[in-house]
């Protein structure tokens, strides 16, 4: 298959250059208003649904890419879409410490994402491990993340696992 409008996972997994067909692209028809429509939002949401049903750790970089595109889309307005929540969950489920910054950027995309994306997702790699990783990082987002965690009660690892399980159940329903 070579048609990106038919999003079968094997097609997307086969060639990273195809991911560009899922990139955030503002609609040329949008007037200068409050929200920007994304030309590829529906295709990206469809691929995220497929990944939800059949995702492996080998998809981790693809998931981070999709989350970054969702983040760009959400930075253009006020909302929290199902696809953003799903992308954040799928990235968190890989439990890779460096992905905390992609999750942090997603959480900070707008007012709705800050309060709507569960903070437990940030700690999927382990609460102490995540804080130590961020603290030792030179990523530009480090200071903002550290201010955030210093001003809030950190979840336990058990609370993180429970919340992620609940989010998976929510998206399954």
């Amino acid at each position: 298959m070579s048609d990106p409008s038919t999003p079968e996972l094997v097609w997307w997994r086969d060639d990273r250059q195809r991911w560009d067909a899922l990139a955030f692209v503002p609609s040329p028809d949008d007037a200068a208003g409050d929200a920007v429509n994304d030309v590829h939002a529906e295709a990206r949401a469809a691929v995220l649904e497929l990944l939800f049903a059949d995702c492996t750790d080998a998809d981790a970089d693809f998931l981070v890419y999709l989350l970054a595109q969702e983040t760009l889309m959400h930075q253009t307005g006020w909302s929290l879409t199902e696809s953003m929540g799903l992308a954040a969950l799928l990235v968190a489920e890989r439990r890779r410490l460096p992905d905390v910054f992609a999750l942090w950027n997603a959480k900070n995309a707008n007012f709705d994402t800050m309060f709507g994306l569960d903070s437990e997702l940030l700690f999927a790699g382990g609460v102490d491990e995540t804080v130590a990783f961020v603290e030792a990082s030179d990523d530009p987002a480090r200071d903002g993340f550290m201010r955030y965690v210093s001003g809030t009660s950190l979840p336990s690892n058990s609370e993180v696992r429970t919340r992620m399980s609940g989010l998976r159940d929510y998206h399954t329903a």
Side-chain angles (χ1 to χ4, degrees), residues 56-115:
T56 70
D57 288 344
D59 294 314
D61 291 339
F62 188 28
L63 294 168
V64 170
Y65 174 81
L66 295 171
L67 179 60
Q69 301 316 302
E70 287 293 315
T71 300
L72 290 170
M73 180 181 79
H74 283 76
Q75 287 172 339
T76 66
W78 300 102
S79 70
L80 173 57
T81 63
E82 288 289 319
S83 56
M84 173 66 120
L86 187 54
L89 174 63
L90 292 172
V91 167
E93 286 181 335
R94 308 288 68 80
R95 292 176 169 74
R96 298 189 318 175
L97 287 173
D99 295 345
V100 68
F101 293 113
L103 291 161
W104 176 245
N105 290 335
K107 189 161 180 60
N108 280 282
N110 67 47
F111 182 85
D112 294 326
T113 58
M114 176 52 80
F115 293 99

Side-chain angles (χ1 to χ4, degrees), residues 20-156:
D20 288 344
L22 299 172
F24 168 70
V25 176
S27 173
D29 299 331
D30 283 339
D34 291 335
V36 173
N37 291 314
D38 179 358
V39 170
H40 298 138
E42 286 184 32
R44 199 168 48 249
V47 170
L48 284 164
E49 288 291 329
L50 291 172
L51 284 162
F52 182 72
D54 179 25
C55 191
T56 70
D57 288 344
D59 294 314
D61 291 339
F62 188 28
L63 294 168
V64 170
Y65 174 81
L66 295 171
L67 179 60
Q69 301 316 302
E70 287 293 315
T71 300
L72 290 170
M73 180 181 79
H74 283 76
Q75 287 172 339
T76 66
W78 300 102
S79 70
L80 173 57
T81 63
E82 288 289 319
S83 56
M84 173 66 120
L86 187 54
L89 174 63
L90 292 172
V91 167
E93 286 181 335
R94 308 288 68 80
R95 292 176 169 74
R96 298 189 318 175
L97 287 173
D99 295 345
V100 68
F101 293 113
L103 291 161
W104 176 245
N105 290 335
K107 189 161 180 60
N108 280 282
N110 67 47
F111 182 85
D112 294 326
T113 58
M114 176 52 80
F115 293 99
L117 286 177
D118 293 272
S119 60
E120 289 88 352
L121 296 174
L122 298 170
F123 302 101
V127 176
D128 293 338
E129 295 86 346
T130 301
V131 172
F133 175 82
V134 171
E135 218 168 26
S137 172
D138 62 356
D139 190 283
R142 180 192 66 170
D143 293 341
F145 182 91
M146 294 309 296
R147 277 191 303 277
Y148 178 76
V149 299
S150 71
T152 188
S153 171
L154 293 178
S156 68

